[in-house]
Amino acid sequence: MPAKGDVIQDPLVIAGREFRSRLLTGTGKYDSPEVMREAVLASGCAMVTIAVRRIDFDEPGDDITGYLPPDVLLLPNTSGAETADEAVRAARLARAGGLPDWIKLEVIPDPRYLLPDPVETLRAAATLVDEGFTVLPYVLPDPVLQKKLEEVGCATVMPLAAPIGSGRGLRLRDSIRIMIEQAEVPVVVDAGLGSPAHAAESLELGADAVLVNTAIARAGDPVAMARAFRLAVEAGRGAFLAGIVEEQETAAPSSPVGGTV
């Protein structure tokens, strides 16, 4: 166990692999790949997601992947898949193209709110785990679905805090809290975080990590915002390890009142 508050000695562990940061970032929505690279570096993240459909397998390294630091794990995602079969096909394509067999599983048939399909996600997850993939599924914050995904062998669960890109923060906090409470794999809060305060709140709640894209990429200064999220994640995890005081209904004096003159 790490010393209380010692974030440096408290790595994120997924499927037996250690990561130096509890902040994951995405690669979409940046004004340029150069800005994306600088933001990734400023974030200190050790894992970055990228849609399989954005990768040019005919010219390896001649797309956005060529701008990523070499020590960052590339996490392909199945963005754009509307069914389990489409998601499985995208994951197989990524692996055949030489990418890691880690996959962020997204099955999203809903074009308006971009909510994941729980039935198709579970079906795809079972297939991909059987095929040797390390599966990180994007899901609604459903504790029942969480247990089923754990049972089929998923490496994490990644509940949305609010709809993708909405920036609304932990609107589904109570369900996420239950997931964290019963989790047997890391819980990564994904989607809807709009500010570093939202990330800190997630870590304070006990989430193992957060994934942030829009809030960094569309900020006025993405590099500065990436740095702010890094600090917020470290602060939130440090507060969780330190032990946050319980809320009280009434006031309590900060200074002792007994034995005073």
Side-chain angles (χ1 to χ4, degrees):
M1 288 291 292
K4 285 189 175 181
D6 191 351
V7 177
I8 302 301
Q9 299 303 319
D10 178 42
L12 171 66
V13 180
I14 299 176
R17 179 167 177 168
E18 292 189 357
F19 296 92
R20 65 177 183 270
S21 171
R22 292 175 180 271
L23 173 62
L24 289 64
T25 65
T27 53
K29 300 186 178 180
Y30 286 94
D31 289 338
S32 72
E34 290 82 7
V35 172
M36 181 273 294
R37 174 182 170 82
E38 291 306 310
V40 168
L41 290 170
S43 75
C45 72
M47 193 185 315
V48 174
T49 65
I50 184 170
V52 174
R53 59 184 179 176
R54 297 182 63 204
I55 300 172
D56 185 352
F57 292 103
D58 293 326
E59 297 290 340
D62 195 31
D63 54 22
I64 198 166
T65 61
Y67 290 86
L68 292 171
D71 60 338
V72 171
L73 176 67
L74 187 62
L75 179 64
N77 73 44
T78 62
S79 172
E82 297 185 3
T83 67
D85 290 342
E86 290 177 3
V88 169
R89 188 159 51 247
R92 290 169 177 166
L93 175 63
R95 182 159 65 182
L99 295 177
D101 58 6
W102 286 51
I103 197 80
K104 183 191 174 191
L105 175 59
E106 297 182 17
V107 184
I108 302 175
D110 168 23
R112 181 174 184 183
Y113 294 106
L114 300 178
L115 299 177
D117 183 324
V119 176
E120 292 293 281
T121 297
L122 179 60
R123 188 162 74 89
T127 298
L128 291 172
V129 170
D130 284 347
E131 294 186 6
F133 285 91
T134 299
V135 181
L136 291 71
Y138 171 64
V139 296
L140 291 162
D142 178 347
V144 176
L145 175 62
Q146 169 193 18
K147 300 314 292 183
K148 292 182 180 297
L149 289 165
E150 290 178 350
E151 288 167 5
V152 301
C154 289
T156 67
V157 286
M158 303 181 71
L160 60 94
I164 292 174
S166 67
R168 299 174 67 190
L170 279 174
R171 293 303 179 97
L172 299 168
R173 177 188 176 97
D174 289 343
S175 294
I176 292 174
R177 179 187 57 76
I178 295 171
M179 293 180 73
I180 292 169
E181 179 184 299
Q182 68 176 22
E184 296 181 23
V185 297
V187 175
V188 181
V189 175
D190 177 14
L193 302 182
S195 76
H198 297 156
E201 183 182 4
S202 300
L203 273 292
E204 289 174 4
L205 188 63
D208 295 277
V210 294
L211 172 59
V212 181
N213 187 178
T214 303
I216 294 175
R218 303 314 301 163
D221 184 338
V223 177
M225 186 61 76
R227 189 175 301 112
F229 266 99
R230 174 178 60 80
L231 295 172
V233 166
E234 292 175 1
R237 180 63 178 179
F240 174 76
L241 293 177
I244 299 169
V245 297
E246 295 183 4
E247 294 183 5
Q248 304 291 333
E249 291 294 329
T250 60
S254 299
S255 299
V257 294
T260 56
V261 177

